């Protein structure tokens, strides 16, 4: 079965189209007399809204994927995801500090506590995962910067997310993200978008849809490779 869009991507696509529709109205002849400040407000809010929708997509696709891994066993997960969850167990329980302090008691206590609670699936290959969410993976890194996306996609087994997405869309995926990020940063720090027209921004948003299409196709291939087509069709599509 061929690729089909995820529910988060369908929602993202629709929301970006709504923003583009508003931007097109700015160019209508009937709106040529709009105050320049009003036009600037529309462009600025469009950038912030589009960037927020991208963050929503990241949050939604990770949540949808990870929540539906419940009832699977730990070794049903790919190696990168398993490795990150073990690392997260060590980090959340400050195991590294206990090791540096040669605090054997704290380490053993943490293992005993977790082996009968939330992370018990790590210690028993026959146990099903009770609950895992997207937040367990993206943590505080869902803001869609280049660095953050590289980090969180690697955690689910997508080693070079921008190279992978670029191959899917035949464009420079990293460059597309950096463009909308540059606009947002400019607004956040200087409250201006210099020499940017509504038409310019429409092209950027169309590229952004293409970028998310690439992300969606990458995670589709990863999920289907790990859990078969039926997982995507029943849980993500």
């Amino acid at each position: 079965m061929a690729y089909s869009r995820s529910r988060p991507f369908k929602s993202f696509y629709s929301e970006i189209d709504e923003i583009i529709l508003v931007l097109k109205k700015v160019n209508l002849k009937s709106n040529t007399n709009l105050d320049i400040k009003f036009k600037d407000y529309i462009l600025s809010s469009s950038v912030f809204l589009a960037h927020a929708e991208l963050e929503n997509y990241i949050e939604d696709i990770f949540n949808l994927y990870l929540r539906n891994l419940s009832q699977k066993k730990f070794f049903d997960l790919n190696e990168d995801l398993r490795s990150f969850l073990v690392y997260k167990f060590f980090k959340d329980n400050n195991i590294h500090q206990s090791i540096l302090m040669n605090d054997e008691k704290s380490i053993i206590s943490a293992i005993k506590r977790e082996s009968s609670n939330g992370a018990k699936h790590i210690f028993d290959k026959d146990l099903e995962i009770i609950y895992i969410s997207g937040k367990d993976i993206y943590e505080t890194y869902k803001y869609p910067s280049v660095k953050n996306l590289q980090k969180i996609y690697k955690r689910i087994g997508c080693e070079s997310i921008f190279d992978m997405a670029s191959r899917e869309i035949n464009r420079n995926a990293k460059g597309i993200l950096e463009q909308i990020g540059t606009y947002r940063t400019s607004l956040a720090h200087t409250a201006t978008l210099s020499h940017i027209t509504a038409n310019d921004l429409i092209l950027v948003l169309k590229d952004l849809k293409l970028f998310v299409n690439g992300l969606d196709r990458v995670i589709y291939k990863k999920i289907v490779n790990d859990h078969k087509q039926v997982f995507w069709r029943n849980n993500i599509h």
Side-chain angles (χ1 to χ4, degrees):
M1 184 177 177
Y3 160 76
S4 56
R5 293 176 179 177
S6 68
R7 294 199 299 275
F9 181 38
K10 292 175 188 175
S11 175
F12 172 84
Y13 202 97
S14 175
E15 293 298 330
I16 296 301
D17 275 348
E18 287 291 326
I19 297 172
I20 289 174
L21 184 62
V22 172
L23 288 170
K24 286 181 176 179
K25 290 180 179 178
V26 172
N27 289 332
L28 293 176
K29 289 184 178 180
S30 58
N31 291 325
T32 54
N33 294 324
L34 280 177
D35 187 280
I36 187 65
K37 285 188 176 181
F38 187 66
K39 290 183 178 180
D40 285 345
Y41 291 155
I42 293 174
L43 266 61
S44 299
S45 61
S46 296
V47 170
F48 281 117
L49 285 170
H51 205 266
E53 290 298 338
L54 176 56
E55 185 170 347
N56 287 342
Y57 168 79
I58 300 299
E59 181 177 358
D60 292 346
I61 193 68
F62 271 72
N63 275 325
L64 201 54
Y65 171 32
L66 275 299
R67 282 203 308 266
N68 281 291
L69 291 177
S70 298
Q71 312 308 314
K72 288 188 175 293
K73 295 178 181 178
F74 189 62
F75 280 87
D76 291 333
L77 310 184
N78 67 62
E79 184 177 10
D80 289 282
L81 184 50
R82 293 199 311 268
S83 298
F84 174 72
L85 291 173
V86 172
Y87 161 75
K88 180 176 171 60
F89 158 73
F90 274 75
K91 182 179 66 171
D92 290 349
N93 289 279
N94 295 314
I95 299 295
H96 59 295
Q97 293 183 6
S98 298
I99 291 173
L100 288 173
M101 297 173 61
N102 198 27
D103 187 356
E104 180 179 316
K105 181 178 180 181
S106 293
I107 296 171
I108 292 174
S109 294
I111 292 173
K112 288 171 66 177
R113 180 174 62 253
E114 292 299 322
S115 63
S116 60
N117 290 298
K120 59 185 178 181
H121 49 266
I122 292 176
F123 302 96
D124 189 336
K125 64 182 180 64
D126 294 321
L127 282 178
E128 293 180 342
I129 299 170
I130 297 175
Y131 180 77
I132 184 172
S133 72
K135 190 174 183 179
D136 291 320
I137 306 304
Y138 59 68
E139 298 181 308
T140 59
Y141 301 105
K142 67 183 176 72
Y143 177 85
S145 67
V146 169
K147 185 176 180 180
N148 284 353
L149 295 195
Q150 286 173 332
K151 179 189 291 286
I152 64 174
Y153 274 90
K154 186 177 186 303
R155 291 174 176 179
I156 61 171
C158 300
E159 177 69 30
S160 303
I161 184 58
F162 292 103
D163 290 342
M164 298 170 80
S166 294
R167 286 194 293 270
E168 293 295 331
I169 62 176
N170 294 314
R171 289 281 302 279
N172 181 350
K174 182 178 177 182
I176 293 174
L177 178 62
E178 287 175 333
Q179 182 65 75
I180 189 71
T182 297
Y183 286 177
R184 189 193 182 284
T185 299
S186 176
L187 284 169
H189 292 286
T190 67
T192 59
L193 275 177
S194 301
H195 311 298
I196 303 300
T197 67
N199 284 334
D200 293 332
L201 191 50
I202 286 170
L203 291 176
V204 169
L205 296 188
K206 287 181 177 179
D207 280 348
L208 191 62
K209 290 196 298 182
L210 186 64
F211 170 70
V212 177
N213 183 23
L215 294 183
D216 210 57
R217 287 175 178 273
V218 168
I219 201 167
Y220 162 79
K221 288 184 176 179
K222 184 61 183 171
I223 289 174
V224 169
N225 181 70
D226 291 346
H227 305 292
K228 307 302 181 186
Q229 184 78 41
V230 66
F231 184 97
W232 181 271
R233 185 174 64 248
N234 292 346
N235 301 310
I236 313 295
H237 170 61

